[in-house]
Amino acid sequence: MDRKQLKKYKSNKRRIAGIKKTIDRLVEQLDNVPVVPGKVTKSGDEFPYIEQHVQVVMEEPKEATRLKERIREKRQDLSRLEQENEEVEKYIEQLPVGMKKEIFEMVYLDGMTQKEAGDSLGYTQSMVSKVINADIKDS
């Protein structure tokens, strides 16, 4: 596990929440896209298959396509960020039970500062920082 990936964990959590809200908003907009009449071409049901024009009612194509594309992009971003965070969570989960695991859980999963984690465990912020830095160098 590298420092960069651990540091991104907290910001990824915030971004995940924001992306989920954006997706919900885009889905709502997609539900409110105006319905317009349109024509499509189809083959006749019987042989010989003669081209026929059929009137249909559909979502406004340009707006619906734009919104669907943005939703797809946001879902890809969401998936990537969730995958990155899962890797951090798995890494912390596999640490042996002890001070190091507690520190990583508090600082990265619970969102505490190093000082808060140190105060909670009876260590200084400096000690917490040393534990984190030593572990990151070992990986």
Side-chain angles (χ1 to χ4, degrees):
M1 182 63 44
D2 64 357
R3 179 182 310 277
K4 183 179 172 186
Q5 195 168 1
L6 284 167
K7 281 191 164 206
K8 286 176 31 177
Y9 183 83
K10 290 178 192 175
S11 65
N12 282 356
K13 283 183 90 167
R14 286 189 298 274
R15 288 181 61 202
I16 286 169
I19 289 173
K20 285 181 178 179
K21 287 179 185 176
T22 301
I23 290 172
D24 290 343
R25 185 178 47 79
L26 290 171
V27 167
E28 188 177 311
Q29 287 177 7
L30 184 60
D31 291 342
N32 294 323
V33 169
V35 176
V36 296
K39 290 185 180 180
V40 295
T41 304
K42 75 169 205 142
S43 297
D45 295 332
E46 297 177 15
F47 187 78
Y49 302 113
I50 299 171
E51 188 176 280
Q52 297 176 340
H53 298 283
V54 179
Q55 287 196 345
V56 295
V57 177
M58 60 185 164
E59 297 170 328
E60 199 284 312
K62 288 182 184 177
E63 183 66 14
T65 301
R66 183 187 68 80
L67 288 169
K68 287 176 184 176
E69 180 61 24
R70 287 202 54 216
I71 291 169
R72 186 187 62 76
E73 290 170 359
K74 293 295 180 187
R75 286 186 175 149
Q76 284 178 337
D77 288 346
L78 180 65
S79 178
R80 181 182 51 78
L81 293 172
E82 287 175 337
Q83 177 64 34
E84 287 177 10
N85 278 7
E86 279 180 27
E87 290 175 20
V88 171
E89 291 165 0
K90 285 179 185 176
Y91 172 75
I92 293 172
E93 186 179 300
Q94 62 83 31
L95 290 172
V97 174
M99 176 187 65
K100 184 185 342 182
K101 185 172 186 168
E102 286 184 59
I103 288 172
F104 273 81
E105 286 175 342
M106 288 179 175
V107 172
Y108 294 105
L109 301 183
D110 300 338
M112 295 174 114
T113 65
Q114 289 182 1
K115 178 160 179 30
E116 291 169 338
D119 290 345
S120 176
L121 296 171
Y123 299 113
T124 64
Q125 182 272 327
S126 175
M127 178 64 178
V128 171
S129 180
K130 286 177 185 175
V131 168
I132 291 172
N133 288 332
D135 191 73
I136 291 172
K137 288 179 185 173
D138 291 344
S139 348

